[in-house]
Amino acid sequence: MQQRLSTSFFYVKMSKVSIEDILYDEQDILRSMDKIEVIDFHQTLEVNGIRFWCYTAGHVLGAAMFMDDIVGVRVLYTGDYSREEDCHLCAAEIPQFSPDICIIESIYGVQLHQPWNVREKRFTYVIHSTISQGGRVLILEFALGRAQELLLILDEYWSNHPELHNIPIYYASPLKKRCMLVYQTYINSMNERICNQFENSNPFDFKHISPL
């Protein structure tokens, strides 16, 4: 929710369209807060004869895919989703019922990605080799989702490589810092790997990474 609201406020503040053409203003966003209702995954609700429930989408923490049942026609509506489990999130659920219609975001719809473990090895190799040559690494990333994944990877990699312990890692983003509090709170919504780690310590209490 924090990420979506921040994006909305950013749109209002940075939009170059005229006042007459702007889709909504800051007051519209604030008024919408009273209309928000929190529901659980798999909880079925009905509004004006339309039944709906949601599944985990595996995109970022809390991301959901919604199944709507409209007079017997099932419509699956979702933004980004991932069927591949990563370092901290479960894969997107397969709906119990096959939808009749799918409405899906398609930014990466025609692209093939390498498996995440291959990408992780490439990522850590480039960073380690750059540091070994006296370089520094600057990573620009979204504050919610991908950032937490990369921080988990880096903290674990640093723990397994004592020669890097004197090299500090910092993340510089007020929003990212606020998002981290959410991630530290909702461990039970993550995959089995993270839940098992949490029995000993919170994996998001990083040993080798500090906020600026």
Side-chain angles (χ1 to χ4, degrees), residues 3-162:
Q3 175 75 358
R4 294 301 182 193
L5 287 177
S6 296
T7 302
S8 299
F9 279 117
F10 182 80
Y11 166 80
V12 171
K13 293 178 180 179
M14 301 301 293
S15 178
K16 295 181 180 179
V17 300
S18 65
I19 297 298
E20 294 76 17
D21 294 330
I22 196 167
L23 294 176
Y24 53 83
D25 60 24
E26 190 168 327
Q27 290 305 312
D28 290 325
I29 298 171
L30 294 174
R31 283 193 295 270
S32 72
M33 296 300 294
D34 293 333
K35 300 181 182 297
I36 295 173
E37 295 184 24
V38 179
I39 66 171
D40 293 326
F41 288 105
H42 312 126
Q43 176 185 352
T44 300
L45 280 79
E46 183 170 336
V47 177
N48 297 330
I50 299 175
R51 297 171 62 246
F52 58 91
W53 58 94
C54 60
Y55 303 96
T56 56
H59 173 50
V60 296
L61 183 64
M65 306 183 293
F66 278 84
M67 182 77 83
D68 302 324
D69 189 316
I70 308 171
V71 293
V73 177
R74 297 193 182 99
V75 180
L76 181 68
Y77 178 85
T78 180
D80 288 325
Y81 72 95
S82 173
R83 283 289 299 144
E84 184 177 47
E85 184 171 309
D86 59 24
C87 280
H88 68 293
L89 292 177
C90 300
E93 295 179 90
I94 297 178
Q96 180 183 2
F97 306 103
S98 297
D100 299 297
I101 300 171
C102 290
I103 303 174
I104 301 174
E105 187 165 345
S106 58
I107 292 176
Y108 297 112
V110 295
Q111 297 187 30
L112 294 177
H113 295 288
Q114 292 179 317
W116 74 265
N117 57 326
V118 174
R119 285 176 277 152
E120 179 180 328
K121 288 181 180 179
R122 289 178 57 202
F123 173 67
T124 52
Y125 171 78
V126 169
I127 290 176
H128 199 153
S129 61
T130 301
I131 292 173
S132 298
Q133 297 174 60
R136 299 178 182 180
V137 180
L138 176 64
I139 302 172
L140 304 179
E141 194 49 83
F142 294 111
L144 176 64
R146 193 67 57 82
Q148 286 72 28
E149 176 81 358
L150 296 183
L151 292 173
L152 281 170
I153 292 171
L154 288 172
D155 199 59
E156 181 177 1
Y157 189 83
W158 251 242
S159 294
N160 294 331
H161 292 80

